[in-house]
Amino acid sequence: MQQPFDFTGMDVPEFPAGMVWLVGAGPGDPGLMTLQGLSALRRADAIVYDALVDERILAWRHPDANLEYAGKRGGKPSAKQRDISLRLIELARAGRRVVRLKGGDPFVFGRGGEEAQALVRAGVAFRVTPGISAGIGGLGYAGIPVTHRDVNQAVTFVTGHDQSGDAPSAIDWQALAKGSPVLVIYMAIKHLPQISGAILAAGRDGATPVAVVQNATRPDMRVLETTLAEVVADVERHGMGSPAIICVGEVVRMRQVIDWAGQLEGEKPRALDPLGSAPPAADAS
Ligand code: SAH
């Protein structure tokens, strides 16, 4: 079988007919997909993919593979979750090698758990290949480490939508705003006024740094640095849209030092130690 490179040295798992792989495609940049995911994509004869999966990743599929779009856009019930799970089961029972390709990591706000549950119920063999989640890798491309010693020893991943597409009702913003030094919010653009308002109402300082990273890891990535008090107006002013990851917390200041993508384009670091936490420079006596 045609392969983009030799997988020797990697323990490539078996992919027999009738099996489903839930594969994370990563946040966008095709280079961030795992080798195991790629090995599955090369062998699959049916690929069911989501809206946020990059075309260049899909182009790595086997030339004879059948491609099916199962994306949901903007909360519209275009492809119901139940229908997607049933389709995976149907394809597997027809003896296909099925890759269910999802943006980021399948188990991070990706409903991969529900699909796995349906496969278990149906008695279909499956495997999970994790991916780089946008809330970690996407922020990494923006030069923001989700944890930084001395500033945050915890980080919370939050969704800005609940099942119905409304602002999530089950989240205790009071507790999160107080207890979690860094909040990484997925799907936050639509309900941003409510979300930022809830975090402010819970007592978080309006001057808290916030980053909005749109199209993270893609060629058209945009990063907005703002504050909790200003984020709604700034997102509007700069026309930021989905998909975007929002990071709230002091750690956002680290971008002033480690915006490596900007520095590769010739920008200078704006600060060297914005959190006052740097180890002594290597040349210090
Ligand atoms: N399973 C995915 C998340 C799916 S939910 C993961 O682990 O990353 C979809 C949300 O993920 C989007 O609304 C957005 O908040 C975020 N997201 C996914 N890809 C992104 C990207 N390239 N840039 C910014 N945000 C992204």
Side-chain angles (χ1 to χ4, degrees):
M1 183 170 287
Q2 175 190 7
Q3 304 234 329
F5 68 86
D6 183 356
F7 285 99
T8 307
M10 187 185 133
D11 193 8
V12 180
E14 293 272 302
F15 194 173
M19 187 178 185
V20 176
W21 282 36
L22 299 178
V23 176
D29 183 340
L32 298 180
M33 184 159 143
T34 65
L35 295 181
Q36 193 181 95
L38 180 60
S39 82
L41 198 58
R42 298 300 301 168
R43 290 176 289 169
D45 39 36
I47 296 158
V48 181
Y49 69 102
D50 278 349
L52 290 176
V53 175
D54 196 284
E55 288 286 331
R56 293 165 296 172
I57 289 178
L58 296 175
W60 282 333
R61 71 187 182 273
H62 191 274
D64 298 334
N66 198 39
L67 208 53
E68 289 183 24
Y69 175 68
K72 284 169 292 216
R73 290 225 168 87
K76 290 202 195 85
S78 45
K80 294 217 175 65
Q81 187 58 51
R82 188 168 165 276
D83 296 343
I84 297 170
S85 296
L86 289 177
R87 182 66 183 142
L88 297 178
I89 293 164
E90 185 178 51
L91 287 165
R93 287 189 174 152
R96 318 294 285 280
R97 288 177 185 80
V98 187
V99 160
R100 172 69 175 117
L101 195 57
K102 292 170 156 297
D105 184 284
F107 282 177
V108 180
F109 303 126
R111 309 191 72 169
E114 284 156 78
E115 291 172 18
Q117 213 171 2
L119 294 171
V120 170
R121 286 213 184 105
V124 170
F126 70 99
R127 167 183 280 278
V128 177
T129 299
I132 296 180
S133 192
I136 299 179
L139 291 174
Y141 262 49
I144 301 167
V146 288
T147 71
H148 192 67
R149 202 171 56 121
D150 300 340
V151 206
N152 69 309
Q153 299 190 329
V155 54
T156 304
F157 299 100
V158 194
T159 174
H161 283 184
D162 68 11
Q163 281 186 346
S164 60
D166 294 337
S169 49
I171 295 175
D172 184 346
W173 290 108
Q174 185 86 21
L176 287 188
K178 283 196 163 59
S180 185
V182 173
L183 301 174
V184 174
I185 313 173
Y186 293 69
M187 299 173 272
I189 296 287
K190 188 171 165 206
H191 300 299
L192 191 57
Q194 293 96 307
I195 292 168
S196 59
I199 302 171
L200 283 167
R204 202 71 171 252
D205 191 338
T208 304
V210 173
V212 181
V213 185
Q214 181 181 357
N215 293 322
T217 81
R218 301 195 178 130
D220 52 353
M221 176 169 96
R222 294 173 69 202
V223 184
L224 168 73
E225 286 175 61
T226 177
T227 62
L228 196 53
E230 297 292 325
V231 64
V232 172
D234 277 346
V235 159
E236 175 89 40
R237 185 174 313 135
H238 295 278
M240 303 292 287
S242 296
I245 278 288
I246 297 189
C247 182
V248 178
E250 289 302 318
V251 82
V252 166
R253 293 190 204 280
M254 288 305 289
R255 178 173 153 81
Q256 297 169 21
V257 199
I258 36 182
D259 171 20
W260 57 269
Q263 288 164 27
L264 290 174
E265 298 285 313
E267 285 170 27
K268 294 272 172 282
R270 284 170 285 151
L272 290 179
D273 188 13
L275 300 171
S277 63
D283 57 358
S285 54

